[in-house]
Amino acid sequence: QSALTQPASVSGSPGQSITISCTGTSSDVGSDNYVSWYQQHPGKAPKLIIYDVSNRPSGVSNRFSGSKSGNTASLTISGLQAEDEADYYCFSYTDTSTLEGVFGGGTKLTVL
Amino acid sequence: QVQVVESGGGVVQPGRSLRLSCEPSGFTFRNYAMHWVRQAPGKGLEWVAVISYHGSNKYYADSVKGRFTIARDNSKNTLYLQMISLGPEDTAVYYCARDAAAAGMRGFDPWGQGTLVTVSS
């Protein structure tokens, strides 16, 4: 149950786009299309922003998009806004029949 | 409004036990698997445990296996996390989260506000 690998930090200026990677193995990220992403502002609970690799829940801005290639999933935020400054975590099931899973280490996004 | 609310956190001495609770509202609890996730101060999220919608199947992270027990009472609409032999490494905010697969989303939604467990003498 090793954590998925994310960059510790990324930054971008308002209006720009950034991408956060999430690297696992063929046993988790690479095994199915059930990667999800979470946004967490300081002192707040995490919020689901992407599920099933690339789908957005109702109410989540279309500036957030997800993709996957092999054992690496990615979250892209376009048109950066100050409110996007937060921590972002990926999650992958390690067994979709049991629903066990593992989170990435988290990425701190700074909007310059 | 779909939500979950945790309770039961507090300060506990090393080696002691504590039970957390999570109460859902706005959805049919018995239809969903449920998870516990924790976050140590200043650290990232750690998946802790999951229980199937009927309660028969339970799985744990290696870090808590044998010490934590996840349980649910669908008649009382409540999820639990029984923690024994607590150590300083268990100090964290504990979140309850619904596995939203039955709602068509493979992800955790919603999350509660969390309950803080501090293990200290």
Side-chain angles (χ1 to χ4, degrees), chain B residues 86-108:
Chain B
L86 285 163
E89 69 277 10
D90 299 312
T91 294
V93 173
Y94 285 75
Y95 294 102
C96 155
R98 182 184 72 164
D99 190 297
M105 299 188 293
R106 287 283 191 172
F108 299 172

Side-chain angles (χ1 to χ4, degrees), chain A residues 29-96:
Chain A
V29 175
S31 68
D32 56 51
N33 288 321
Y34 296 138
V35 175
S36 50
W37 289 90
Y38 302 86
Q39 177 191 60
Q40 185 181 35
H41 287 107
K44 301 295 186 182
K47 172 189 174 184
L48 177 67
I49 57 172
I50 293 288
Y51 66 94
D52 295 0
V53 171
S54 60
N55 293 301
R56 284 185 308 275
S58 175
V60 173
S61 170
N62 59 10
R63 298 185 299 104
F64 294 90
S65 63
S67 62
K68 194 187 82 166
S69 178
N71 297 336
T72 298
S74 298
L75 172 71
T76 297
I77 308 174
S78 59
L80 271 179
Q81 299 179 1
E83 67 206 49
D84 299 331
E85 185 161 298
D87 294 323
Y88 292 84
Y89 296 90
C90 60
F91 175 86
S92 175
Y93 294 103
T94 53
D95 188 329
T96 52

Side-chain angles (χ1 to χ4, degrees), chain B residues 105-118:
Chain B
M105 299 188 293
R106 287 283 191 172
F108 299 172
D109 181 69
W111 296 62
Q113 83 290 349
T115 187
L116 176 61
V117 173
T118 302

Side-chain angles (χ1 to χ4, degrees), chain B residues 5-10 12 17-23 36-38 48 68-71 78-83 86 90 92-96 114-118:
Chain B
V5 178
E6 304 93 339
S7 61
V12 60
S17 303
L18 198 64
R19 188 179 79 164
L20 307 181
S21 299
C22 170
E23 296 188 7
W36 286 99
V37 176
R38 69 183 180 181
V48 172
F68 288 13
T69 302
I70 189 171
T78 305
L79 174 74
Y80 302 100
L81 186 67
Q82 178 69 50
M83 306 180 292
L86 285 163
D90 299 312
V93 173
Y94 285 75
Y95 294 102
C96 155
T115 187
L116 176 61
V117 173
T118 302

